[in-house]
Amino acid sequence: MKTFFKLFSLTIALFSLPSFASITVTDSLGQHQLDSHPKRIVALNWDLAEQLLELDVTPVGVPNIKDYTTWVVKPAIPEGVEDLGTRAEPNMQKLAELKPDLILAASPQKDLIPRLQTIAPVLYYQTYNADQNSAKAAIENFRNIAAVVGKTDLAEQKLNAMNQRFADLKSQLETAFNGEMPSVAAMRFANQTSIYLYASNSTTDYVIHQLGLTTALPQPAKEWGIVQKRITDLQHIKDGYVIYFGPFSDAQKAKLNKSMLWKAMPFVRNGHVNEAESVWNYGGAMSMQYIAESITESLLEIKP
């Protein structure tokens, strides 16, 4: 009888232990417990959607997919992913109908976390602010998200491949520019009279240095890693190169090329300006490889 009660007590104790399938995961707010690796994940910010896709995980829902295809481009979102409205105000009803196991949120959705938690567990990943290096944060978040979905080995493979790609692209530029690497101002147009320059804490500035280039018109760390300037500030770039990211329509380009102010810029007169294909400068870890490829391709088109 005593043996029976001992076995009975041991059985009760084993059933009382936490599930061996539970996992400890990390986000920007600390550590959390999940019952298991989630299968149905909603990504409420584009950089988070990108991080998942690069880990071969397709989210069940992403906001504003149409604009994603224009601005982010890579990696493409597969067919069948539900569009959840805007990043700032996702469609909560549609989100709930997807019955997600997990919701990934970023700073545009931080105030929504309490509501989101009534639908599913939420992990919050902060990548872009003035107090941190965005490249390091994107890489750290990539690793943390990989742990959430059980893809840590794949994440390391991708990061190693990205670093090798940086080295290959740097070598191409060194050859093209005969070892005299140029200074580069990477930017976007805000409108016909103002621009966005990438700050010292941006993923774009990180990429510029990984390519062995220097930054023309360096900017202090800022929220989202961008600083808005008047287009006239570009006149201070004498011998450097200017690379502006698309999308930039033919109509916009034609109007710009007619501008006397633009044509008077030293880099325009020297032929040191070119458009770069559309990439997302506020993305996840692998977006930095796409930024590097875009900048390199653009510079090689206007090499000396």
Side-chain angles (χ1 to χ4, degrees):
M1 185 63 71
K2 288 182 179 180
T3 302
F4 171 79
F5 278 114
K6 284 182 179 180
L7 290 173
F8 181 77
S9 299
L10 180 59
T11 302
I12 294 297
L14 287 173
F15 277 106
S16 300
L17 290 173
S19 170
F20 288 107
S22 67
I23 57 172
T24 301
V25 298
T26 303
D27 69 359
S28 299
L29 301 177
Q31 290 190 331
H32 311 271
Q33 291 293 126
L34 296 178
D35 291 337
S36 61
H37 294 297
K39 302 299 183 185
R40 297 181 58 80
I41 306 175
V42 164
L44 292 181
N45 221 51
W46 287 346
D47 63 316
L48 301 176
E50 178 202 323
Q51 302 272 48
L52 287 175
L53 291 168
E54 293 289 359
L55 292 166
D56 294 339
V57 175
T58 301
V60 294
V62 174
N64 205 345
I65 293 175
K66 181 180 178 181
D67 284 346
Y68 177 104
T69 61
T70 299
W71 291 92
V72 184
V73 185
K74 299 176 184 178
I77 294 181
E79 291 185 9
V81 177
E82 192 72 32
D83 194 310
L84 297 173
T86 68
R87 285 170 286 170
E89 296 182 0
N91 187 320
M92 291 291 187
Q93 180 179 344
K94 188 178 289 187
L95 197 164
E97 290 171 353
L98 290 174
K99 301 185 185 308
D101 302 324
L102 180 68
I103 299 169
L104 300 185
S107 54
Q109 303 88 35
K110 190 172 185 179
D111 63 321
L112 300 175
I113 289 177
R115 292 178 60 194
L116 294 170
Q117 287 174 329
T118 65
I119 299 173
V122 178
L123 294 178
Y124 172 76
Y125 293 97
Q126 172 72 60
T127 305
Y128 296 91
N129 64 45
D131 299 325
Q132 65 184 12
N133 181 289
S134 299
K136 292 181 179 178
I139 291 170
E140 180 181 7
N141 289 341
F142 186 56
R143 286 181 165 133
N144 286 334
I145 292 171
V148 171
V149 297
K151 300 273 190 173
T152 54
D153 289 344
L154 178 59
E156 294 307 316
Q157 291 170 16
K158 290 236 174 183
L159 290 171
N160 290 335
M162 179 175 69
N163 288 329
Q164 182 58 55
R165 184 63 170 147
F166 287 156
D168 293 343
L169 294 171
K170 179 181 178 182
S171 179
Q172 290 180 39
L173 290 170
E174 287 173 337
T175 300
F177 285 86
N178 298 314
E180 298 181 8
M181 298 291 264
S183 63
V184 175
M187 51 162 269
R188 284 186 186 271
F189 284 100
N191 50 51
Q192 291 296 318
T193 60
S194 67
I195 58 168
Y196 293 117
L197 288 171
Y198 291 95
S200 62
N201 63 325
S202 68
T203 54
T204 302
D205 197 66
Y206 173 84
V207 166
I208 286 172
H209 288 91
Q210 292 299 305
L211 293 174
L213 307 167
T214 54
T215 305
L217 294 184
Q219 301 296 315
K222 291 288 184 179
E223 188 78 13
W224 292 98
I226 56 171
V227 180
Q228 188 166 5
K229 293 284 187 178
R230 293 184 183 277
I231 200 169
T232 51
D233 286 11
L234 294 176
Q235 66 184 304
H236 301 296
I237 302 174
K238 303 301 182 183
D239 299 319
Y241 286 68
V242 170
I243 301 298
Y244 60 92
F245 293 100
F248 200 67
S249 69
D250 290 341
Q252 289 174 305
K253 193 178 298 184
K255 189 173 182 179
L256 179 69
N257 290 334
K258 290 179 181 178
S259 166
M260 296 303 295
L261 173 63
W262 182 252
K263 289 192 289 187
M265 293 289 178
F267 55 86
V268 176
R269 296 199 308 269
N270 293 332
H272 291 176
V273 59
N274 199 16
E275 182 180 1
E277 68 173 12
S278 298
V279 289
W280 194 230
N281 305 82
Y282 324 99
M286 292 301 108
S287 70
M288 292 187 285
Q289 178 174 318
Y290 304 136
I291 293 170
E293 291 169 343
S294 181
I295 290 175
T296 300
E297 181 180 353
S298 184
L299 285 172
L300 292 177
E301 289 176 354
I302 54 173
K303 65 184 180 181

